[in-house]
Amino acid sequence: MAERVLRSGRRGYGRRMVGAQSSLWRLDGVLLVAVAALCVIGTLLVWSSTRTWAPGSTGLVKKHMLNLGIGVVLCAMTTAIDHRAMRAYAPLVFLLSLVGLGLVISPLGATINGSHSWILLGGGFAVQPSEFAKLGLLLILAMLLAQPAEGSDRPRTFDIVLALCVAALTMGMVMLQPDLGTALVLAVITAAALIIGGVRKRWIVGLTLVAVTGVFLVFRLQLLEPYQIARFTAFLDPGVDPRGVGYNSTQSLIAIGSGGLFGKGWLHGGQTTGRFVPEQHTDFIFTVAGEEFGFLGSVAIVLLLGVVLLRGLRIARQCDDRFGTLAAGTIVCWFAFQTFVNIGMTIGIMPITGLPLPFVSYGGTATFANLIAVGLLQSIRIREQQQYA
């Protein structure tokens, strides 16, 4: 009897091992390699940009590697969860993200770089709940818009209105911080979910008119903070005050241009070592790549980010259920917009908005959110592969 139980246990363990191995084979290896390469490059760039001033010369690099390690664990945990089960938990995730945003605007919140977006945890660690709000909004929008109206392949009007309400609530709480960059990402996530969800053109046209009117009123009523107005001024005319509002843009262009075709070599960037570009390990990390790795190295980073986007699109296109398609497609739009804005502001074609470069910039919460999103993409990929197995 005992021997039979033992053999049965071994067979059960063997089946679980085979199932785990088959799931690993169904992962998108190209996506994983591209993300891993970007994380490694980012670590090298963070080291280069912080080694002359960070505590212990490697303090921030160690913290960045710790954040990456935690992010990988979160990515693996998300991958192991069936994305269809996440649909049931989307309201809970969204509510938790709102709680985090609420804590930020409470006395527990802290101001860093002019934005009241953080909760300090002690020991040099801080959490930025608005990064998790991207995931919370993404999931709740995918859940609401995945259910088509009866006899149609388009979302119900009630669900569209509810989706707009939850998006407006999230963006409003983020703007109270104020964090214009993250609010723009949330707006892109909302627009992407609506378009992928198949809402009628009149909704898109109407919302576009509302957005344009809103932007006009924001500038007309002078609702932006002084530092935000200064960023737009520097974008429109970088030479207006090269030692003041235009300093970041000017120094960024100098750093990237000085790298030439092949760059000055890792750890040999004069602009980077001299700390001429502010926030070079976070928002302006692409300037380190431009100076030390040159044009070719910068193009390699852009190509790797392009691979991430293309693999994400492939996962979205191959997914048969609407929730998975919406989630994957919206993640791609989120990464694409943030990549374009971050690189664009370093080369002068976009205003400075304080958005990090996905998988490359130093960060904790942003790194966690990005890798959780990658885990969600892998979860969708695995379940679709299992369906056709």
Side-chain angles (χ1 to χ4, degrees), residues 255-274:
I256 293 176
S258 66
L261 184 62
F262 299 104
K264 299 177 180 178
W266 184 50
L267 305 180
H268 290 87
Q271 290 286 112
T272 300
T273 303

Side-chain angles (χ1 to χ4, degrees), residues 343-380:
I343 296 177
M345 73 182 187
T346 63
I347 60 177
I349 64 173
M350 290 293 290
I352 297 173
T353 54
L355 291 175
L357 186 60
F359 312 110
V360 180
S361 292
Y362 170 85
T365 318
T367 298
F368 301 157
N370 292 337
L371 290 176
I372 289 173
V374 172
L376 180 53
L377 288 174
Q378 294 288 7
S379 175
I380 296 170

Side-chain angles (χ1 to χ4, degrees), residues 64-150:
H64 183 65
M65 294 176 68
L66 175 61
N67 290 333
L68 286 175
I70 296 173
V72 169
V73 172
L74 293 174
C75 178
M77 292 172 61
T78 307
T79 301
I81 302 173
D82 191 326
H83 74 276
R84 292 163 294 193
M86 294 182 196
R87 182 173 180 173
Y89 294 104
L92 176 61
V93 175
F94 175 70
L95 288 175
L96 289 175
S97 69
L98 290 184
V99 170
L101 293 177
L103 291 175
V104 165
I105 57 180
S106 74
L108 295 176
T111 301
I112 299 178
N113 294 333
S115 183
H116 195 77
S117 308
W118 303 83
I119 298 175
L120 300 181
L121 301 179
F125 291 91
V127 173
Q128 188 177 10
S130 58
E131 290 292 338
F132 290 132
K134 298 174 186 177
L135 290 167
L137 180 61
L138 182 152
L139 289 173
I140 195 69
L141 291 178
M143 185 202 75
L144 290 172
L145 300 175
Q147 183 64 41
E150 186 176 353

Side-chain angles (χ1 to χ4, degrees), residues 24-236:
L24 290 176
W25 280 110
R26 292 187 179 104
L27 291 172
D28 191 322
V30 176
L31 175 60
L32 286 180
V33 170
V35 170
L38 287 167
C39 290
V40 171
I41 293 172
T43 302
L44 295 176
L45 297 179
V46 169
W47 188 358
S48 178
S49 59
T50 61
R51 63 190 176 89
T52 59
W53 58 268
S57 76
T58 59
L60 282 185
V61 177
K62 291 180 179 178
K63 188 185 294 185
H64 183 65
M65 294 176 68
L66 175 61
N67 290 333
L68 286 175
I70 296 173
V72 169
V73 172
L74 293 174
C75 178
M77 292 172 61
T78 307
T79 301
I81 302 173
D82 191 326
H83 74 276
R84 292 163 294 193
M86 294 182 196
R87 182 173 180 173
Y89 294 104
L92 176 61
V93 175
F94 175 70
L95 288 175
L96 289 175
S97 69
L98 290 184
V99 170
L101 293 177
L103 291 175
V104 165
I105 57 180
S106 74
L108 295 176
T111 301
I112 299 178
N113 294 333
S115 183
H116 195 77
S117 308
W118 303 83
I119 298 175
L120 300 181
L121 301 179
F125 291 91
V127 173
Q128 188 177 10
S130 58
E131 290 292 338
F132 290 132
K134 298 174 186 177
L135 290 167
L137 180 61
L138 182 152
L139 289 173
I140 195 69
L141 291 178
M143 185 202 75
L144 290 172
L145 300 175
Q147 183 64 41
E150 186 176 353
S152 172
D153 59 349
R154 300 180 185 275
R156 297 175 297 185
T157 301
F158 175 79
D159 291 333
I160 296 174
V161 173
L162 187 56
L164 292 175
C165 289
V166 299
L169 175 61
T170 307
M171 286 185 278
M173 295 184 71
V174 169
M175 285 302 296
L176 288 176
Q177 299 176 5
D179 186 351
L180 179 60
T182 300
L184 290 174
V185 175
L186 295 174
V188 168
I189 287 174
T190 304
L194 291 170
I195 294 172
I196 297 170
V199 301
R200 296 187 182 278
K201 292 182 180 179
R202 62 173 177 264
W203 280 100
I204 304 301
V205 173
L207 291 172
T208 302
L209 292 175
V210 170
V212 171
T213 303
V215 171
F216 173 78
L217 291 176
V218 165
F219 281 95
R220 183 70 175 178
L221 300 177
Q222 299 181 353
L223 299 179
L224 294 177
E225 296 292 324
Y227 77 92
Q228 293 172 331
I229 297 175
R231 287 176 174 180
F232 279 105
T233 302
F235 167 66
L236 296 174

Side-chain angles (χ1 to χ4, degrees), residues 1-9 11:
M1 180 67 178
E3 185 178 352
R4 189 181 306 130
V5 171
L6 182 60
R7 285 200 301 268
S8 177
R11 285 196 298 269

Side-chain angles (χ1 to χ4, degrees), residues 259-297:
L261 184 62
F262 299 104
K264 299 177 180 178
W266 184 50
L267 305 180
H268 290 87
Q271 290 286 112
T272 300
T273 303
R275 298 184 64 189
F276 288 99
V277 183
E279 305 300 329
Q280 203 165 14
H281 61 302
T282 53
D283 301 341
F284 285 88
I285 199 163
F286 194 73
T287 63
V288 186
E291 183 181 21
E292 299 190 350
F293 297 158
F295 176 77
L296 294 180

